[in-house]
Amino acid sequence: MPGQPVPSTPAAAPMAAASPLALLMARLVAGDGAAFDALVRALQAPAMRLADRTLGDRAAAEDVVQQALTRLWSAAARYDPARGPVEAWFRTIVVNLCLDRRRALRPVVPIEAIGELPSDAPDPLAAAIAADGRARLAAAMAQLLPRQRAALAMFHGDGLSMAEIAQALETTPKAIEGLLGRARIEVRKLMGPEPL
């Protein structure tokens, strides 16, 4: 009715200003299961890429994304559109679960035991050099601190800005700049003098 105040709750954000995912979140909070299905379709693939790059283990990444989606369902009412888009909120959930998982993981297979994947590339020498570079990079990444690895995965893997990474890691863009710088120096040191 004109002239009456509109309640100011996260679910009652102005419809015109709300993103499609924020509208889906509001529907989810209201109990709409179809909204959850739509959110899963929108958020699952980017979350899987981020988790896979951060953890370096597809099965563990699938577990993390499943946990994150469960948390999305159970904690939907805690989403506040005033604090940022749904994608950033969900990315923070995924990153935190990845960091928790990385802290709990213990290596079970020595890095030397990991074999190279066969390639369809026509030049075996170039393929071998590229595979060696990827293996050295993966080994170096595995030795980084979990927050450094997550920041590199988001910056270089997903192309996120420092502000977006800062939001996901709950810090400042300046801190992310330093974190990325230290991570790159550490990766170069761990990979050794041979070029990629």
Side-chain angles (χ1 to χ4, degrees), residues 159-171:
L160 298 181
S161 70
M162 289 193 196
E164 291 169 319
I165 298 168
Q167 185 176 15
L169 293 178
E170 299 172 338
T171 188

Side-chain angles (χ1 to χ4, degrees), residues 8-130:
S8 64
T9 63
M15 296 302 253
S19 73
L21 292 183
L23 295 174
L24 287 171
M25 286 296 290
R27 286 177 41 203
L28 176 59
V29 170
D32 184 350
F36 179 71
D37 294 340
L39 284 163
V40 169
R41 284 192 299 277
L43 299 171
Q44 188 172 22
M48 189 62 207
R49 284 191 302 272
L50 174 59
D52 193 19
R53 287 184 183 122
T54 301
L55 296 172
D57 178 342
R58 183 76 178 183
E62 288 171 358
D63 289 345
V64 161
V65 171
Q66 186 65 40
Q67 286 178 313
L69 291 170
T70 302
R71 195 165 293 176
L72 171 72
W73 173 266
S74 63
R78 285 190 246 158
Y79 168 67
D80 179 3
R83 296 190 63 195
V86 174
E87 301 92 318
W89 179 73
F90 188 66
R91 188 181 309 120
T92 300
I93 292 172
V94 172
V95 167
N96 287 335
L97 288 170
C98 285
L99 293 176
D100 291 346
R101 180 98 181 199
R102 289 281 301 162
R103 287 182 199 108
L105 288 178
R106 298 290 177 261
V108 291
V109 178
I111 196 73
E112 297 80 20
I114 297 175
E116 294 179 83
L117 297 174
S119 174
D120 294 333
D123 181 5
L125 177 60
I129 292 170

Side-chain angles (χ1 to χ4, degrees), residues 111 114 132-144 149 191:
I111 196 73
I114 297 175
D132 177 63
R134 285 191 303 273
R136 288 188 301 119
L137 179 59
M141 290 286 288
Q143 295 180 59
L144 291 178
R149 185 176 179 145
M191 289 185 68

